[in-house]
């Protein structure tokens, strides 16, 4: 299952999220490269939340709770059922040369593959601008569609969906692709 909507947040909320993300770039870069060893990407993650969004709120601000609620409400309205609690959030910053090979999202605890279809990942692209020629598209095997990382675009998928990103090429220059990621899941 894949959902996508443009201009997900109202302009004021998006500007607040964008400013919060921009304020965290240096902090994220001071950490190690992302968990797949990609030296062109940096992230800050909060895992094992079990629905408690205190740490994400402390990191990016009190506006995160209403954004998470809006994402949850959108998903539940679109699929017509309740979804699991927030299990993790992450804030990622990607630069020229960033690419991710095809994969299925996994968790550190054992989980049946069929369970992955009951868990959801949501990305809000949080940067100010993006040009198609820069690359960085999010791609999914099941639809063979490419989602341009347009500012304020929400993309939601079940965690059993094979996906990847297209290379952020030299035309992207010094642009930074930013995402706020939310994982709704039942992990123990």
């Amino acid at each position: 299952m894949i959902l996508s909507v443009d201009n997900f947040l109202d302009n004021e909320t998006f500007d607040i999220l964008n400013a919060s993300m921009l304020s965290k770039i240096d902090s994220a870069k001071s950490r190690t490269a992302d968990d797949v060893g990609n030296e062109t990407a940096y992230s800050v993650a909060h895992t094992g939340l079990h629905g408690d969004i205190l740490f994400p709120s402390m990191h990016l601000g009190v506006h995160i709770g209403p954004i998470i609620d809006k994402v949850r409400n959108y998903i539940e309205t679109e699929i017509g059922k309740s979804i699991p609690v927030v299990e993790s959030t992450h804030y990622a910053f990607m630069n020229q040369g960033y690419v991710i090979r095809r994969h299925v999202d996994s968790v550190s605890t054992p989980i049946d593959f069929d369970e992955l279809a009951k868990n959801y990942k949501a990305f809000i692209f949080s940067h100010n601008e993006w040009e198609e020629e820069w690359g960085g598209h999010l791609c999914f095997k099941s639809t063979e569609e490419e989602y341009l990382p347009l500012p304020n675009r929400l993309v939601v998928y079940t965690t059993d969906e094979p996906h990847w990103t297209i290379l952020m090429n030299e035309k992207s220059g010094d642009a930074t692709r930013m995402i706020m990621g939310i994982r709704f899941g039942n992990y123990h």
Side-chain angles (χ1 to χ4, degrees):
M1 186 244 20
I2 303 165
L3 303 169
S4 176
V5 62
D6 291 339
N7 301 311
F8 179 69
L9 301 172
D10 63 74
N11 289 339
E12 181 181 355
T13 304
F14 178 76
D15 289 344
I16 291 168
L17 175 61
N18 174 266
S20 295
M21 295 282 295
L22 287 170
S23 74
K24 300 301 180 187
I25 288 178
D26 290 337
S27 170
K29 285 184 177 182
S30 70
R31 298 168 185 257
T32 57
D34 76 3
D35 60 1
V36 292
N38 191 331
E39 304 255 341
T40 60
Y42 302 88
S43 63
V44 176
H46 300 101
T47 60
L49 299 176
H50 307 292
D52 182 355
I53 61 165
L54 176 63
F55 287 117
S57 296
M58 288 173 53
H59 188 80
L60 280 185
V62 295
H63 60 278
I64 293 304
I67 291 172
I68 291 171
D69 289 342
K70 183 173 175 135
V71 171
R72 170 187 290 287
N73 291 338
Y74 171 76
I75 297 169
E76 290 179 343
T77 299
E78 290 297 311
I79 66 171
K81 63 181 181 180
S82 296
I83 63 172
V85 299
V86 174
E87 183 56 30
S88 66
T89 61
H90 74 278
Y91 316 102
F93 308 90
M94 287 86 34
N95 298 310
Q96 184 183 109
Y98 178 77
V99 64
I100 292 289
R101 293 182 299 247
R102 190 169 117 178
H103 68 283
V104 173
D105 289 340
S106 61
V107 294
S108 58
T109 57
I111 188 170
D112 183 274
F113 188 78
D114 291 336
E115 262 319 286
L116 291 176
K118 300 174 187 172
N119 296 277
Y120 302 86
K121 189 87 168 261
F123 292 142
I124 300 174
F125 294 104
S126 309
H127 40 267
N128 284 324
E129 66 176 313
W130 202 263
E131 300 293 332
E132 185 170 4
E133 66 186 20
W134 295 353
H137 301 59
L138 178 60
C139 306
F140 294 92
K141 181 179 186 246
S142 64
T143 62
E144 298 184 12
E145 287 191 49
E146 297 178 357
Y147 293 85
L148 185 64
L150 294 175
N152 202 10
R153 173 174 275 176
L154 172 71
V155 178
V156 178
Y157 58 94
T158 51
T159 57
D160 64 334
E161 287 283 349
H163 60 283
W164 63 95
T165 62
I166 292 176
L167 174 72
M168 280 180 59
N169 61 47
E170 66 281 347
K171 293 179 182 174
S172 65
D174 62 357
T176 298
R177 179 178 177 255
M178 300 188 309
I179 61 165
M180 176 187 162
I182 309 163
R183 185 181 195 126
F184 299 94
N186 292 317
Y187 310 121
H188 307 286

